[in-house]
Amino acid sequence: MSPEELEAWREEEYASRAGPFHKVEWRRIILDEAHLIKNKDCATSIAIRALNGRFKWAMSGTPLHNGVEELYPYLHFIFTSERMEYETFLKKYSAGLDHILETVLHRSTYSTRILGKPIVTLPGINHRVVEVELCSAEKLLYREIQDLGIAMIEGLADTKQKQSRCILAVITMLRMFVSHPLLAQRFLEAVLNERVIEALKLMAQEEGVAETPSGVIIDLILSLGDKIAPRPRPPGDLFELREIYYKHMVHIRQTKGRYEELMRKVCPRCDEIVKEENPCVVTSCHHLYCKDCFDLLPDQYGKINSVTRVCTSCKEPIEEAGYSEDLPKDSPKKGSPKKDSPRKRKQSKRKRKGGKFVKKRPQGLFKQQVLLKDLSDDEWDEPKEDGGDWIWRIGDCMPSAKTTAVRDLVANWVKEDEDVKIVIFVQFLKTAQLLQFMCEEEDWNYALITGKVSPTSREKQIEQFGTDKDVKILISSLRTGGVGLNLTMANKCILVDPWWNEAIQDQAYCRLYRIGQERLVEYVQVVAKGSIDTWMINLQKEKTRNIHQLLNTDSLKEILGLSGDIREQPNGGFSIFTSKGNKHAQTWARAVDSGIIDEVISSEED
């Protein structure tokens, strides 16, 4: 087919298949947030560039995220009279981009002046970096994840595509771990072998460790790891304890009423009614616990790996306990009452009193009312509560270097200024969940916007954040809150997780620092020293090419903490040589087969 025939075919196809917008010859087309077309291969970019118009504007605060090749969609959009393929663009214009931009680019910044005066007058902005140190337990587990990453990448050296995905998965998992160790549950489960468990136990026995964040993390990790023997049980016969419990319930109903009877059906640790279909524990002090809650009760010394447990309600050691799972399979349903026992009834909802929400254990927070959440809004998309999810089980009591730093920053700001408004940007949904736990524990009212929150609920939360003096904190995912919002009601901003480039981060804090801001803005970036954060920040500063081109040997050495050698194979894969060998050489295949790579890559909020 000749060029003329090909062009005629294109015209015919276009006329027959073009939509209504593409059939109009527009006088003026203005793109707001034009960086959304920067990916030349996405459907939005292709469709926008096919629009016909006489005058065209492309407006963006962050036109370049990864490299100058992202100029192609903008220039192609502007010069649609010339059908220019990407390769043609590179050959024709890559050497003269400066001259082209001089003719089409109009750039204004906060310092731009017209007739000697700035176009925008704002109070100012202070940016600082808060460096945090991972505790000893975090450092040990971080190194183990790096070692597992080495084994996985080396094991996939014969398949370049799988290896590239594995590298991205390892990077993401290290970023998640630094945000909070519990985000890396799948990798932690993979590395918690006998050697690592023994190392954690030895660390916990060191003088002074028990009362530190390392001590808390070790206790909780060891209690949850699948390879750890279950916590030893107190003595007790289920059938005897159940009979005593039922008689006690009848006595409470007759002497104190139905409400007191109902409260005895609530787990003292999590404030949830113990459901009869779920594993539960009956105690000699006449209380009913969820099994998971019971196994996380500390003893009188604060340990959670001993036989003894202290009752949350009685504050005394529990002498005996009966487990519902000991019932024979043909017995009545676990926890189901006998005919003469009090019946279960639906738990009443807790109501708001005196302008504040009555505090409830954060463990069920995503299923309860989040501040400003419309309970009738069924579009609210909630993370699923799952007993196997470590965040759901212990997320409210495990510290991390970053969440501790965020807590301190917020506490100081709230103490210094009663009118302060704070926006906390995160990259991962589970980090947002953990920050909710933190706010609930500190009794801080807050709002929440992420990609999982419906547009209607999102608008309500932002409105309440701006108008309600008691709502001082907005937790937002970077992608949801970093674009197209006006958050000038806030004057403090915290960035918990670094992004691949500075452009997205700049857009986030510029939601606060824009026209309408009346106070000095403070922007704080929390960075974990000696971690993947350092590599991410260096990547932001030095990036000149597409992110996929940065997966080279030097980057891998820094990501994985390697002192050995990395060699590129003929097929593009990498072989990794370490002088120490690899401690996870026998486990990498099982980790890959478990689907951990795909799961980690899909875990990012955006």
Side-chain angles (χ1 to χ4, degrees):
M1 183 179 291
S2 67
E4 293 77 13
E5 292 173 330
L6 181 60
E7 183 65 21
W9 175 82
R10 283 178 174 173
E11 293 290 346
E12 183 181 350
E13 283 292 301
Y14 182 82
S16 63
R17 302 179 64 179
F21 286 118
H22 291 90
K23 290 180 179 179
V24 175
E25 184 69 31
W26 302 97
R27 176 175 175 79
R28 181 179 292 108
I29 303 175
I30 302 174
L31 297 186
D32 191 20
E33 306 290 356
H35 51 266
L36 295 177
I37 72 167
K38 67 183 176 64
N39 180 356
K40 64 180 178 63
D41 297 319
C42 75
T44 299
S45 180
I46 294 170
I48 292 294
R49 282 157 26 214
L51 292 170
N52 293 314
R54 184 175 178 185
F55 302 105
K56 297 181 180 179
W57 291 79
M59 303 172 62
S60 173
T62 54
L64 295 182
H65 289 193
N66 301 311
V68 294
E69 64 273 8
E70 291 172 350
L71 288 172
Y72 165 72
Y74 309 136
L75 296 176
H76 193 198
F77 166 70
I78 293 171
F79 299 120
T80 50
S81 58
E82 182 178 353
R83 284 196 174 88
M84 187 194 324
E85 300 299 333
Y86 180 60
E87 291 73 16
T88 305
F89 163 78
L90 292 178
K91 292 177 182 178
K92 192 171 183 179
Y93 294 113
S94 59
L97 281 175
D98 291 344
H99 300 295
I100 299 172
L101 293 178
E102 286 177 3
T103 65
V104 299
L105 178 63
H106 176 75
R107 183 169 182 262
S108 297
T109 67
Y110 291 114
S111 60
T112 300
R113 305 175 77 86
I114 296 179
L115 300 177
K117 294 184 178 181
I119 59 173
V120 177
T121 302
L122 294 173
I125 184 169
N126 291 331
H127 172 227
R128 61 189 174 102
V129 175
V130 172
E131 289 190 325
V132 298
E133 188 89 35
L134 299 180
C135 69
S136 300
E138 288 175 302
K139 288 179 179 178
L140 187 153
L141 294 170
Y142 183 88
R143 180 63 242 183
E144 291 298 331
I145 291 177
Q146 284 183 316
D147 287 344
L148 177 60
I150 292 172
M152 291 169 65
I153 294 169
E154 165 64 8
L156 294 170
D158 59 336
T159 52
K160 180 181 178 181
Q161 184 177 7
K162 288 183 179 180
Q163 195 179 50
S164 296
R165 288 179 61 80
C166 181
I167 294 169
L168 289 172
V170 172
I171 293 172
T172 301
M173 184 54 65
L174 291 173
R175 292 173 60 211
M176 295 174 75
F177 180 91
V178 169
S179 189
H180 193 288
L182 291 181
L183 270 65
Q185 176 178 339
R186 290 295 306 279
F187 268 52
L188 289 177
E189 289 174 336
V191 302
L192 279 176
N193 54 36
E194 187 175 344
R195 173 186 54 79
V196 175
I197 291 168
E198 190 59 34
L200 290 172
K201 289 180 177 179
L202 290 174
M203 182 181 291
Q205 293 171 6
E206 295 176 4
E207 186 176 354
V209 170
E211 304 303 322
T212 65
S214 283
V216 176
I217 290 173
I218 291 170
D219 271 354
L220 294 173
I221 288 291
L222 292 183
S223 70
L224 293 177
D226 291 338
K227 297 179 177 65
I228 309 298
R231 186 175 178 182
R233 295 181 175 187
D237 182 274
L238 171 66
F239 299 96
E240 292 181 4
L241 291 171
R242 190 175 59 170
E243 289 295 326
I244 296 172
Y245 171 78
Y246 288 150
K247 290 179 181 178
H248 185 70
M249 292 290 281
V250 171
H251 174 72
I252 288 178
R253 183 180 60 190
Q254 293 173 347
T255 58
K256 298 183 179 180
R258 291 278 185 179
Y259 179 75
E260 290 297 327
E261 172 197 343
L262 173 65
M263 295 310 294
R264 281 285 178 163
K265 299 284 188 71
V266 174
C267 173
R269 184 174 186 272
C270 70
D271 276 349
E272 296 281 355
I273 283 187
V274 180
K275 297 180 180 179
E276 57 188 42
E277 66 269 17
N278 295 333
C280 59
V281 179
V282 184
T283 67
S284 53
C285 54
H286 310 141
H287 287 103
L288 195 61
Y289 281 89
C290 309
K291 181 181 179 298
D292 288 340
C293 288
F294 186 75
D295 283 338
L296 288 175
L297 291 178
D299 61 16
Q300 59 268 44
Y301 306 106
K303 300 293 185 180
I304 58 172
N305 56 3
S306 61
V307 175
T308 305
R309 294 147 170 88
V310 174
C311 179
T312 302
S313 180
C314 303
K315 308 301 182 185
E316 296 291 336
I318 296 170
E319 297 177 358
E320 296 184 15
Y323 287 71
S324 63
E325 58 194 41
D326 291 342
L327 282 172
K329 292 183 179 180
D330 56 349
S331 293
K333 216 170 187 178
K334 294 180 180 180
S336 58
K338 290 189 175 182
K339 290 181 180 180
D340 62 343
S341 64
R343 294 181 179 179
K344 283 182 175 278
R345 63 185 174 95
K346 191 174 181 180
Q347 184 183 22
S348 60
K349 294 183 179 292
R350 298 189 176 221
K351 297 181 179 179
R352 185 169 176 168
K353 298 181 180 179
K356 292 185 178 180
F357 285 99
V358 178
K359 188 172 181 181
K360 198 171 184 182
R361 186 174 188 268
Q363 178 172 310
L365 194 59
F366 264 63
K367 196 173 182 179
Q368 305 167 30
Q369 175 175 351
V370 179
L371 183 62
L372 320 177
K373 175 182 180 294
D374 183 355
L375 291 176
S376 65
D377 182 6
D378 56 8
E379 292 181 330
W380 185 283
D381 190 359
E382 305 161 339
K384 184 179 180 181
E385 292 184 351
D386 182 358
D389 180 7
W390 291 2
I391 289 178
W392 179 79
R393 294 178 65 182
I394 60 166
D396 59 330
C397 52
M398 178 181 280
S400 78
K402 284 197 173 184
T403 54
T404 300
V406 171
R407 187 192 301 265
D408 292 342
L409 283 168
V410 173
N412 289 334
W413 285 337
V414 170
K415 183 178 179 181
E416 293 169 358
D417 181 6
E418 62 178 12
D419 296 323
V420 72
K421 293 281 187 177
I422 305 163
V423 181
I424 306 174
F425 286 110
V426 300
Q427 177 57 37
F428 306 103
L429 287 175
K430 289 187 176 182
T431 305
Q433 187 178 2
L434 289 161
L435 291 177
Q436 286 183 269
F437 293 172
M438 178 194 75
C439 290
E440 188 78 4
E441 182 179 347
E442 296 291 342
D443 205 19
W444 292 330
N445 289 342
Y446 65 95
L448 172 73
I449 55 172
T450 70
K452 297 295 185 181
V453 177
S454 71
T456 302
S457 295
R458 195 180 307 171
E459 290 176 6
K460 290 179 181 178
Q461 303 240 347
I462 294 174
E463 179 185 358
Q464 193 79 353
F465 175 62
T467 58
D468 191 336
K469 186 177 180 180
D470 292 332
V471 183
K472 299 185 180 298
I473 300 168
L474 172 65
I475 302 170
S476 172
S477 63
L478 196 58
R479 293 293 295 244
T480 301
V483 178
L485 293 181
N486 185 344
L487 300 177
T488 53
M489 72 286 285
N491 64 316
K492 304 289 185 181
C493 175
I494 301 173
L495 180 67
V496 178
D497 310 304
W499 183 233
W500 291 105
N501 53 65
E502 290 181 298
I504 294 294
Q505 295 177 186
D506 291 347
Q507 274 214 325
Y509 75 75
C510 283
R511 299 304 96 200
L512 286 69
Y513 190 62
R514 58 187 300 171
I515 295 174
Q517 181 56 258
E518 299 177 351
R519 293 182 288 176
L520 179 72
V521 173
E522 186 172 4
Y523 164 46
V524 178
Q525 186 172 4
V526 181
V527 175
K529 292 191 290 186
S531 73
I532 190 70
D533 280 1
T534 304
W535 180 80
M536 291 288 292
I537 291 171
N538 290 336
L539 176 61
Q540 291 175 357
K541 295 177 179 178
E542 300 174 1
K543 181 186 286 187
T544 55
R545 291 190 173 187
N546 187 287
I547 190 63
H548 299 293
Q549 294 175 310
L550 292 170
L551 298 179
N552 54 38
T553 57
D554 292 336
S555 291
L556 276 180
K557 284 186 178 182
E558 186 174 354
I559 292 166
L560 300 171
L562 273 175
S563 57
D565 189 24
I566 299 180
R567 299 174 191 171
E568 190 167 353
Q569 298 294 323
N571 70 340
F574 298 103
S575 288
I576 303 175
F577 302 89
T578 62
S579 56
K580 300 181 295 182
N582 191 277
K583 295 167 283 188
H584 294 287
Q586 305 301 319
T587 60
W588 72 267
R590 186 167 63 251
V592 172
D593 291 342
S594 71
I596 193 171
I597 294 176
D598 291 330
E599 181 174 323
V600 170
I601 289 176
S602 65
S603 64
E604 295 201 50
E605 196 278 329
D606 68 319

